[in-house]
Amino acid sequence: MMVGTDGSEGDAIHIEFDELEKAGISPLHVLQMTTLSGAEFLGRLDDMGTVEAGKNADLVLLDGDPIESVQNLHKINAVIRAGSYHSKDELDFIKKKYTNEK
C-alpha cells in the first residue's frame, strides 16, 4: 500500500494519515507507505525513498518522531526541496496565500 491523494486540498494527505491510523496501521508502516513504497512502485529506489548518500535530498523536517505517532506527521517544521530550505514561517505564508486566493 502507498499513501497518496488525488485531492486538491493541501491537508488531504494529512487526512489520509489519520484514516490509516484509525484503520490500525502502525506509524512506522504509514511512514514507509509515504516514502519507501512510492519509490519502490516507481522503480526509483536508487535515487529516492530513503535518506542515503547519493539520493535526492527532498526532506520534510518534523517536530516529532513519526514512528512514535502518526500525529507527528502533521508537525512540519521545514521542507528541503531541490536544495532550498523552506522554514515553517515561509510554508505558513505560502499556505495562507494559496488558501486566500481560492
Side-chain angles (χ1 to χ4, degrees):
M1 288 181 26
M2 294 181 293
V3 170
T5 178
D6 293 334
S8 61
E9 295 299 317
D11 291 337
I13 199 161
H14 293 280
I15 294 168
E16 187 166 345
F17 295 152
D18 295 342
E19 293 300 318
L20 291 167
E21 180 180 46
K22 287 179 193 174
I25 297 174
S26 74
L28 175 59
H29 196 168
V30 172
L31 183 62
Q32 290 171 330
M33 291 166 58
T34 305
T35 56
L36 188 61
S37 296
E40 185 174 36
F41 176 78
L42 294 171
R44 302 270 313 266
L45 286 173
D46 289 341
D47 65 343
M48 63 182 1
T50 60
V51 178
E52 297 178 61
K55 290 194 173 187
N56 293 337
D58 293 342
L59 302 170
V60 177
L61 307 177
L62 304 172
D63 282 331
D65 184 348
I67 296 173
E68 288 181 9
S69 171
V70 169
Q71 295 307 305
N72 287 333
L73 291 169
H74 298 285
K75 299 176 182 176
I76 298 172
N77 180 281
V79 170
I80 300 172
R81 172 86 168 101
S84 295
Y85 176 86
H86 305 279
S87 69
K88 180 165 179 43
D89 289 341
E90 182 181 355
L91 296 170
D92 288 344
F93 176 79
I94 292 168
K95 183 177 180 181
K96 183 178 178 182
K97 179 180 175 186
Y98 175 75
T99 56
N100 286 340
E101 288 181 1
K102 285 189 167 185

